[in-house]
Amino acid sequence: MKMPKDLEKLMIEQLRNELGSAYIYLGMSSAMESMSFMGISKWMRRQAKEEVEHGMKFYDYLISRGSKVELLPIDQAITDYKSPLNAFEVALHHEKSITGFIHKMYDLAVLLKDYESQHMLNWFIAEQIEEESQAQHFVDRLKFAGDNACAVLRIDKEANKVVS
Ligand code: FEO
């Protein structure tokens, strides 16, 4: 069954949002690398890769529903952040907005009785719990570390080991 047009439009926008998220995380990775926070830079880079995978899930799903996929433009990404905390605060805010988009799509899929899309979006609803929780974890720890350089460097070292 072909997807309702309104839902298809939101999914095409979400494909752009996920690839845009990859760009945002890559910008953060670049900023952290330039500040020599190599562990956080790697974490952000892995996250960027994961966002491309998220985008491709939307791409593949749209194709499987017979949609002609339009590729919307992606905004330029910021590559300057004041600190790791600043970057993770922006990441957390961004992930919350992505959760909002996913919920909006799910609400529409329920309204339109598009059961296939509800099933597909369930994966993203679960994924967003993890995405927000990871960013929140770093925000909390970096706030706790404050201006203590040793504590921040320890978090940077640990970020290299966290599998995102
Ligand atoms: Fe694909 Fe981080 O949301």
Side-chain angles (χ1 to χ4, degrees), residues 18 21 25 47 51 54 95 98 124 128 131:
E18 298 288 350
S21 299
Y25 280 113
Q47 190 64 27
E51 298 296 358
H54 294 174
E95 289 299 346
I98 293 290
F124 280 94
Q128 281 311 114
E131 296 281 85

Side-chain angles (χ1 to χ4, degrees), residues 60-71:
D60 289 338
Y61 180 68
L62 281 156
I63 297 280
S64 75
R65 294 292 301 273
S67 302
K68 163 100 173 57
V69 183
E70 197 184 339
L71 296 174

Side-chain angles (χ1 to χ4, degrees), residues 1 4 7 65 106-118:
M1 189 187 76
L7 192 53
R65 294 292 301 273
Y106 193 88
D107 285 345
L108 188 60
V110 169
L111 188 75
L112 299 173
K113 293 189 165 47
D114 189 320
Y115 303 110
E116 296 88 343
S117 295
Q118 288 172 43

Side-chain angles (χ1 to χ4, degrees), residues 27-138:
M28 290 175 176
S29 178
S30 163
M32 293 304 109
E33 178 128 14
S34 71
M35 294 164 89
S36 294
F37 291 115
M38 305 314 280
I40 293 173
S41 171
K42 280 195 186 127
W43 190 92
M44 294 295 190
R45 193 181 169 121
R46 284 199 301 268
Q47 190 64 27
K49 212 169 150 199
E50 201 176 282
E51 298 296 358
V52 173
E53 287 166 15
H54 294 174
M56 291 313 291
K57 276 186 194 283
F58 279 100
Y59 180 85
D60 289 338
Y61 180 68
L62 281 156
I63 297 280
S64 75
R65 294 292 301 273
S67 302
K68 163 100 173 57
V69 183
E70 197 184 339
L71 296 174
L72 304 174
I74 297 173
D75 290 339
Q76 183 171 4
I78 295 169
T79 50
D80 286 307
Y81 290 90
K82 281 186 296 195
S83 62
L85 175 59
N86 176 220
F88 275 109
E89 281 176 332
V90 172
L92 178 59
H93 179 78
H94 179 71
E95 289 299 346
K96 284 182 177 174
S97 76
I98 293 290
T99 301
F101 291 135
I102 302 282
H103 289 177
K104 188 175 162 191
M105 262 181 293
Y106 193 88
D107 285 345
L108 188 60
V110 169
L111 188 75
L112 299 173
K113 293 189 165 47
D114 189 320
Y115 303 110
E116 296 88 343
S117 295
Q118 288 172 43
H119 176 72
M120 183 269 191
L121 289 167
N122 273 327
W123 186 89
F124 280 94
I125 289 171
E127 177 67 10
Q128 281 311 114
I129 297 171
E130 191 186 305
E131 296 281 85
E132 284 190 32
S133 136
Q134 283 178 340
Q136 184 73 62
H137 166 83
F138 278 106

